[in-house]
Amino acid sequence: MKSISIRLLFILMIGAILSCDKIWPGGDEPVIIDTKPGGILDMAFVYRVQGIPPGRLKKVDLCLAYTADNLYRGIFFVQANVSDAVTHYRFELPPGDYFYYATVICLCGGDSCKYSGFPGQNGLIAAGGKVTVEDGKINSYTTIFH
């Protein structure tokens, strides 16, 4: 009984090995797969605000839009899940021009936020601009808050 089950297992293993496809279909030549053109956008989400403790500033949004009109209307094709622990965000995109929008919030009480350029307590400041992605390159940009 034991030898029959071992033979059956051996036959099943041989059948499974023979039924697998070759690594390169059609011979020894590798198949060339056309890839879409694209580049990498490396956004450094950096902000330097004076007069506010670093723990009271938080990142809120980092969004990308195809056009300036879409950016203004809030129609983004990607929104990054931002974190205060992450500085660089990478996006794989087709070559072209894009527009970014980044926001930071001030969580200080009183007038500290207002004196540092925020509209008030729990106020947001935004940065935005045009970025270009070139084919096959890593394009690096840094957010600029005014």
Side-chain angles (χ1 to χ4, degrees):
M1 187 68 162
K2 188 175 184 180
S3 65
I4 295 173
S5 62
I6 291 175
R7 287 181 189 167
L8 183 61
L9 180 63
F10 183 70
I11 292 171
L12 289 174
M13 286 176 32
I14 295 292
I17 291 171
L18 294 176
S19 67
C20 293
D21 291 336
K22 294 180 183 178
I23 294 176
W24 305 113
D28 294 334
E29 294 290 322
V31 177
I32 298 173
I33 299 172
D34 291 334
T35 59
K36 294 180 182 177
I40 296 175
L41 174 64
D42 180 35
M43 287 293 300
F45 194 146
V46 180
Y47 51 91
R48 294 175 186 91
V49 178
Q50 300 288 328
I52 297 175
R56 303 307 294 168
L57 291 172
K58 301 291 179 191
K59 297 176 184 177
V60 178
D61 282 327
L62 178 58
C63 311
L64 294 174
Y66 291 115
T67 64
D69 287 341
N70 286 350
L71 185 73
Y72 178 72
R73 293 180 184 151
I75 303 170
F76 309 115
F77 70 89
V78 68
Q79 287 183 298
N81 188 11
V82 294
S83 168
D84 290 326
V86 179
T87 303
H88 291 271
Y89 295 89
R90 287 187 163 211
F91 305 97
E92 291 183 29
L93 301 169
D97 293 330
Y98 300 94
F99 294 85
Y100 78 91
Y101 175 75
T103 55
V104 177
I105 190 169
C106 176
L107 301 173
C108 284
D111 290 335
S112 298
C113 295
K114 193 170 189 176
Y115 292 134
S116 296
F118 288 85
Q121 184 177 357
N122 298 327
L124 297 169
I125 58 170
K130 183 178 180 180
V131 294
T132 302
V133 175
E134 296 178 24
D135 187 26
K137 293 185 179 179
I138 297 175
N139 305 277
S140 299
Y141 291 93
T142 303
T143 55
I144 301 171
F145 289 91
H146 298 284

